[in-house]
Amino acid sequence: YIPKYITNRPEGYEIPPSAMEDETFAALITEAEKYLGYPYVWGGSSPQTSFDCSGFVYYVYQQFGYELNRTAADQAANGVHVEPDELEPGDVLCFYKGSYIGHSGIYIGDGSYVHSQDSATGVVVSPLSERTGGFEARRILQ
């Protein structure tokens, strides 16, 4: 598969240097960014099927030996809680849609996260500031 939207990053975006200081974090972020441009497919959880939001998070962490829960709501129970002002690259973000968690992604530093957004954009990097509503942040990598 060749990604259709390989440039789906905010203009001028580069992987934050702080995210590259630790080899594990750097490898996780590099792995996640390999899939930029892959389409959003509901229920997808691999490069072969493409990804929905939680399938993307599930797959990326699986490449490092972590078995996360499969849905965004259930991923909010993985790892340990992180306060929003203590986010670190690699933290899983589980976003509220109203009263339930309905979306997830991986924080990559400097206020950005990578996620399988929707069928119009696929896997992209987005600024966290564009999200409305709250989120639950979970630290998987210790």
Side-chain angles (χ1 to χ4, degrees), residues 6-138:
I6 198 64
T7 59
N8 277 359
R9 299 176 184 198
E11 189 171 321
Y13 170 80
E14 294 182 18
I15 296 174
S18 62
M20 303 310 278
E21 292 172 2
D22 181 283
E23 285 183 30
T24 303
F25 295 131
L28 182 103
I29 290 167
T30 299
E31 178 69 21
E33 290 210 331
K34 282 179 13 184
Y35 306 104
L36 285 172
Y38 276 64
Y40 176 97
V41 174
W42 189 84
S45 61
S46 76
Q48 294 75 30
T49 62
S50 209
F51 303 100
D52 66 12
C53 63
S54 58
F56 173 71
V57 173
Y58 174 86
Y59 179 81
V60 170
Y61 271 92
Q62 194 175 50
Q63 303 318 294
F64 294 86
Y66 293 90
E67 285 295 322
L68 299 187
N69 294 329
R70 177 56 186 84
T71 67
D74 291 340
Q75 286 172 353
N78 289 128
V80 296
H81 172 77
V82 177
E83 292 297 325
D85 62 347
E86 296 175 359
L87 290 175
E88 292 182 4
D91 289 343
V92 173
L93 304 176
C94 301
F95 298 96
Y96 284 95
K97 290 186 172 186
S99 62
Y100 70 95
I101 291 176
H103 189 69
S104 62
I106 301 171
Y107 186 71
I108 57 175
D110 287 348
S112 294
Y113 66 107
V114 61
H115 60 128
S116 187
Q117 182 168 286
D118 57 32
S119 58
T121 60
V123 179
V124 295
V125 171
S126 298
L128 193 51
S129 62
E130 289 182 356
R131 293 297 302 194
T132 58
F135 62 87
E136 171 63 27
R138 308 299 292 186

